[in-house]
Amino acid sequence: MIEEINNCIKELKEGNLILYPTDTVWGIGCDATNEEAVKKVYDLKKRADSKALICLVTHQAMLERHVKEVPEVAYDIMDFAQKPTTIVFDSPKDVAKNLIAEDNTLAIRVASDKFCQYLINKFGKPIVSTSANISGRPTPNHFKEISPEILKGVDYVVNLQLENENPSPSSIIKLSNDGQVKVIRE
């Protein structure tokens, strides 16, 4: 695993794209602070940059460095969620501008699997995590379902298995600083 993490860090630092196992499904990732790298993800997925991407952090302290204000209820959701849960926060900061949605929000998840935690911790910055598919096509739940177009479009493919044996996308909850809570995906 250490060799895979070091290979990923090298690619991320160069602004390249990685294909990696996450706590949910296989993801396309890049340095979440690098606008050019984020643009490559949108281009590969053939996705409008008005459709925001998810960002992974390794712990709550890193989350707090990239969101102006974390609502108290967010900590409860992270602590008690039964499955990986992504939270859409208001007023993100210190990430690529093209990662931030038009309404000044950003979807962030504290990664729960060892590989992502080690990778992000060693990289020291959040990384993008978006499903390994062309926009509008089904999300591949297993590596063998990832299209050749995606496999050829990334710079590095991690040679590890998903820890999760029944992968599915994360739940997504939007928390507004005014107290509103909205479930976007269960």
Side-chain angles (χ1 to χ4, degrees), residues 46-79:
K46 297 182 169 68
R47 183 173 179 163
D49 64 10
S50 59
K51 280 195 83 183
L53 301 170
I54 291 172
C55 190
L56 293 182
V57 296
T58 191
H59 44 64
Q60 292 175 353
M62 184 180 275
L63 166 68
E64 292 163 0
R65 285 197 296 269
H66 293 282
V67 175
K68 187 174 177 185
E69 179 187 341
V70 178
E72 276 304 310
V73 70
Y75 298 105
D76 291 337
I77 291 169
M78 288 183 274
D79 289 342

Side-chain angles (χ1 to χ4, degrees), residues 29-44:
C30 72
D31 176 350
T33 66
N34 180 330
E35 263 185 78
E36 285 301 311
V38 171
K39 183 181 182 321
K40 290 179 190 177
V41 174
Y42 283 119
D43 291 347
L44 176 59

Side-chain angles (χ1 to χ4, degrees), residues 89-160:
F89 293 95
D90 288 340
S91 306
K93 60 183 184 178
D94 301 324
V95 294
K97 286 183 178 36
N98 54 347
L99 196 55
I100 300 170
E102 290 173 352
D103 64 353
N104 195 32
T105 61
L106 179 59
I108 302 176
R109 183 169 73 252
V110 176
S112 59
D113 70 301
K114 284 187 183 84
F115 176 76
C116 287
Q117 286 181 336
Y118 290 149
L119 173 63
I120 299 162
N121 202 38
K122 188 163 183 187
F123 186 53
K125 297 190 263 185
I127 60 174
V128 166
S129 178
T130 182
S131 56
N133 61 317
I134 303 298
S135 195
R137 294 195 191 150
T139 298
N141 288 329
H142 302 282
F143 184 82
K144 64 182 184 282
E145 298 169 3
I146 299 170
S147 75
E149 191 173 356
I150 295 291
L151 292 169
K152 288 179 196 153
V154 297
D155 301 287
Y156 185 74
V157 177
V158 172
N159 187 21
L160 293 173

